[in-house]
């Protein structure tokens, strides 16, 4: 039986009927639909609409549906069910008879879908946070393992200054920690229960909304029935957070691709995550990284789809809202697939520290340190910059580095140059120059790693608490 037969006299156009169904994609909401239905049934019993026997029949039926969905895959191949709500009602009636129809008392699919989606996003956030904790641990472990190895840091993709490899990796740790923080924020805002909002104007039965919310692990009930039945901010916010996360993954992938080229040679691609070429026998291709970069396009597309689906909707529920589901699931699935893969990649990649180190030790990356040497000896910074620029020019003509210039020639550029200048150009002293919080001096980087370790541990505790 349809959920709305009675009013409509003519049968639905078969093509339209097929086209408007959401069950093919909203069946992933089944566990949440069952859970929310159980909580609603309890509230119905509390107000006397269900007897305690009817409640236990309904509960038994709901459990049975959940079990069957897990063990019999063809159970979900139902091309009659309009959506997940209809599917549950149909199956419940098949299992326990007409009592199954009583479950819909005092509720509307509009509040059900709003509730199911909040539960889905909440659970998915917890899953993604777990994956993020693993990914962050993998990045941090590589940072810790890098010891005092250095590499060039780039601006404009040109060698700029040397940094510790661990400092470079910690830059990614920071990005993904912010993503995790954004997910935590999003979870707090979404954790309110729409049940009891009815179709638009509130439930027709005085249900105990507080009890339903608590039963489902929500912090409270939503405040406004019009808003609650048509609000998808939580999905939008979640997908936006995922867009930033995917964007970070894509930047990371791009840099790893660059660093794996023969031109850089900093990264040796792990074979279990790379492929060969069917034509060129020598090739090892960074497919995992390229697909991460490529699939990020989908995630960014989904966020636009979602916003455009919502932007013109008057209050309250409109069927357009059904269109918010696929982009939401698509973004979540894509991110949930990518995170464990990049984690595996990161665990097995090899860094060519020798090449990184020798790149860090050449190409005038100590020029700023050289200018700072002069500044510390009273030369105004603009002039120091100009003097060292001239020295670099000399080196370029001769094909040497700053440390190869003899002292008399340096003194001709500025009398402030002294014997100790050469020591100030060494890699350890250039790195040590940045001895401020957030800088690349080894002591600072060590502290940053300890802080990151603690933050990742508390993320794991958060994930554990929500499990
Ligand atoms: N499948 C619908 C959706 O996802 C459920 C809500 C239907 N409500 C309605 N009034 N037709 O939005």
């Amino acid at each position: 039986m349809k959920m709305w037969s009675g009013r409509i006299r003519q049968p639905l156009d078969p093509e339209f009927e097929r086209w408007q169904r959401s069950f093919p994609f909203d069946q992933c909401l089944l566990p949440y639909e069952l859970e929310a239905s159980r909580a609603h049934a309890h509230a119905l019993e509390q107000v006397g609409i269900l007897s305690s026997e009817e409640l236990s029949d309904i509960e038994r039926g709901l459990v049975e549906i959940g079990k069957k969905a897990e063990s019999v895959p063809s159970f979900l191949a139902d091309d009659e069910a309009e959506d997940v709500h209809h599917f549950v009602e149909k199956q419940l009636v098949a299992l326990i008879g007409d009592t199954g129809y009583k479950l819909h008392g005092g509720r509307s699919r509009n509040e059900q879908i709003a509730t199911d989606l909040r539960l889905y996003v909440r659970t998915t956030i917890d899953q993604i946070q777990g994956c993020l904790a693993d990914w962050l641990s993998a990045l941090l472990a590589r940072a810790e393992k890098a010891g005092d190895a250095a590499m060039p840091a780039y601006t404009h993709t040109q060698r700029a200054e040397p940094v510790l490899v661990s400092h470079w990796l910690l830059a990614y740790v920071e990005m993904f920690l912010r993503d995790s923080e954004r997910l935590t924020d999003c979870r707090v805002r979404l954790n309110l229960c729409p049940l009891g909002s009815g179709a638009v104007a509130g439930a027709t039965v005085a249900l105990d909304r507080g009890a339903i919310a608590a039963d489902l692990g929500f912090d409270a009930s939503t405040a406004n029935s019009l808003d609650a039945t048509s609000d998808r901010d939580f999905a939008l916010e979640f997908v936006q957070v995922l867009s930033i996360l995917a964007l970070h993954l894509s930047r990371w992938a791009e840099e790893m691709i660059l660093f794996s080229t023969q031109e850089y040679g900093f990264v040796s691609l792990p074979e279990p995550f790379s492929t060969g070429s069917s034509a060129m026998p020598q090739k090892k291709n960074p497919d995992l990284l390229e697909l991460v970069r490529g699939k990020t396009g989908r995630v960014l597309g989904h966020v636009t789809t979602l916003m455009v689906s919502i932007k013109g909707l008057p209050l309250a529920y409109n069927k357009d809202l059904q269109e918010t589901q696929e982009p939401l699931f698509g973004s979540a699935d894509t991110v949930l697939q990518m995170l464990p893969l990049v984690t595996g990649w990161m665990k097995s990649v090899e860094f060519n520290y020798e090449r990184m180190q020798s790149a860090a030790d050449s190409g005038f990356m100590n020029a700023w340190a050289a200018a700072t040497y002069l500044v510390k000896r009273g030369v105004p910074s603009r002039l120091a910059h100009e003097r060292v620029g001239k020295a670099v020019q000399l080196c370029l003509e001769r094909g040497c580095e700053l440390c190869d210039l003899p002292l008399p020639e340096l003194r001709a550029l500025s009398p402030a140059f002294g014997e100790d200048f050469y020591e100030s150009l060494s890699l350890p002293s250039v790195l040590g120059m940045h001895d401020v919080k957030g800088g690349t001096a080894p002591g600072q980087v060590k502290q940053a790693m300890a802080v990151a370790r603690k933050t990742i541990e508390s993320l794991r505790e958060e994930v554990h608490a929500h499990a």
Side-chain angles (χ1 to χ4, degrees):
M1 189 181 195
K2 291 227 178 299
M3 295 187 91
W4 39 262
S5 47
R7 165 70 177 82
I8 309 282
R9 286 169 305 182
Q10 291 185 36
L12 278 190
D13 174 270
E15 202 170 320
F16 169 62
E17 165 142 47
R18 260 197 310 281
W19 180 72
Q20 54 92 45
R21 294 174 65 235
S22 53
F23 191 58
F25 52 86
D26 72 12
Q27 54 185 255
C28 68
L29 297 175
L30 184 65
Y32 313 109
E33 173 70 10
L34 295 173
E35 185 57 7
S37 294
R38 187 197 52 71
H40 177 70
H42 273 266
L44 285 179
E45 193 244 9
Q46 287 297 306
V47 293
I49 289 189
L50 292 178
S51 68
S52 58
E53 266 162 40
E54 287 169 329
L55 171 63
S56 61
D57 282 350
I58 286 176
E59 281 196 297
R60 183 173 48 78
L62 294 173
V63 169
E64 185 64 30
I65 294 170
K67 280 193 188 148
K68 233 171 148 178
E70 274 181 23
S71 54
V72 187
S74 62
F75 182 52
L76 292 172
D78 179 337
D79 42 5
E80 198 188 88
E82 187 175 318
D83 53 26
V84 68
H85 322 294
H86 184 210
F87 176 78
V88 170
E89 182 172 284
K90 239 185 85 181
Q91 297 301 338
L92 195 59
V93 170
L95 282 168
I96 68 168
D98 278 0
T99 304
Y101 287 130
K102 287 199 164 188
L103 175 60
H104 207 57
R107 76 172 179 177
S108 153
R109 281 186 294 164
N110 297 354
E111 59 185 324
Q112 282 172 259
I113 187 63
T115 306
D116 293 356
L117 287 174
R118 282 180 191 248
L119 291 171
Y120 165 86
V121 175
R122 191 175 75 186
T123 302
T124 311
I125 285 179
D126 296 342
Q127 284 169 358
I128 294 179
Q129 293 280 38
C131 295
L132 265 177
D134 293 342
W135 165 232
L136 282 159
S137 298
L139 282 166
L140 183 61
R142 296 313 303 251
E144 288 167 342
K145 230 174 119 181
D148 55 6
M151 66 184 287
Y154 299 82
T155 64
H156 313 269
T157 331
Q158 305 288 330
R159 281 190 198 175
E161 289 186 276
V163 292
L164 287 176
V165 171
S166 41
H167 188 68
W168 164 65
L169 288 168
L170 282 177
Y172 288 110
V173 170
E174 289 297 318
M175 286 183 215
F176 293 103
L177 280 176
R178 285 196 297 275
D179 292 329
S180 160
E181 237 176 79
R182 276 185 274 266
L183 285 171
T184 303
D185 285 354
C186 174
R187 192 187 196 284
V188 170
R189 245 185 310 280
L190 74 75
N191 205 26
L192 300 174
C193 185
L195 286 184
S197 299
V200 60
T204 49
V205 178
L207 300 170
D208 183 347
R209 294 194 67 202
I212 303 176
D215 192 353
L216 292 171
F218 286 110
D219 295 327
S221 300
T222 50
N224 182 294
S225 62
L226 274 93
D227 177 49
T229 47
S230 64
D231 165 37
R232 296 292 181 273
D233 288 9
F234 61 91
L236 193 51
E237 188 176 348
F238 172 60
V239 170
Q240 280 166 340
V241 171
L242 294 189
S243 300
I244 304 179
L245 198 168
L247 199 129
H248 286 154
L249 284 176
S250 186
R251 289 186 66 184
W252 166 83
E254 169 64 16
E255 187 159 68
M256 294 300 147
I257 291 171
L258 219 59
F259 285 176
S260 72
T261 58
Q262 279 175 30
E263 284 67 19
Y264 280 87
F266 293 171
V267 160
S268 163
L269 294 172
E271 290 191 7
F273 299 103
S274 311
T275 62
S277 154
S278 60
M280 297 162 280
Q282 84 284 8
K283 292 292 291 291
K284 183 166 67 164
N285 293 329
D287 294 40
L288 180 141
L289 302 168
E290 290 169 316
L291 282 174
V292 165
R293 195 175 55 184
K295 283 180 192 285
T296 296
R298 293 185 193 219
V299 181
L300 301 184
H302 288 324
V303 82
T304 309
T305 307
L306 226 138
M307 288 198 288
V308 177
S309 309
I310 298 170
K311 78 180 243 307
L313 300 186
L315 287 172
Y317 177 84
N318 295 272
K319 187 81 170 215
D320 314 43
L321 288 173
Q322 186 168 287
E323 284 298 298
T324 60
Q325 295 183 31
E326 283 171 291
L328 168 65
F329 303 151
S331 286
D333 290 347
T334 306
V335 169
L336 275 169
Q337 288 158 9
M338 291 198 294
L339 281 172
L341 286 167
V342 294
T343 304
W345 190 97
M346 202 59 191
K347 283 182 176 165
S348 43
V349 70
E350 273 172 39
F351 292 126
N352 188 340
Y353 292 127
E354 240 168 74
R355 230 179 122 105
M356 289 168 135
Q357 183 88 14
S358 79
D361 228 351
S362 56
F364 308 107
M365 281 192 297
N366 48 14
W368 197 2
T372 305
Y373 171 90
L374 291 180
V375 167
K376 285 185 178 159
R377 276 149 195 82
V379 180
S381 120
R382 186 53 53 229
L383 297 181
H385 184 283
E386 194 259 356
R387 298 288 103 176
V388 173
K390 284 227 153 76
V392 168
Q393 198 55 51
L394 264 177
C395 293
L396 285 171
E397 281 160 20
R398 291 183 204 169
C400 67
E401 293 282 331
L402 284 171
C403 59
D404 301 320
L405 291 178
L407 194 53
E409 281 187 61
L410 287 168
R411 276 198 199 280
L413 287 171
S414 166
F417 280 115
E419 197 53 67
D420 56 351
F421 173 64
Y422 297 98
E423 169 44 32
S424 78
L425 295 179
S426 72
L427 196 49
S429 81
V430 176
L431 290 170
M433 193 176 85
H434 302 280
D435 198 7
V436 286
K437 195 161 186 276
T440 196
Q444 298 293 345
V445 175
K446 209 173 232 158
Q447 269 181 37
M449 287 193 284
V451 172
R453 171 83 36 226
K454 276 223 172 95
T455 317
I456 298 170
E457 265 162 34
S458 33
L459 172 60
R460 282 203 193 281
E461 277 160 27
E462 186 185 317
V463 172
H464 203 252
H466 286 146

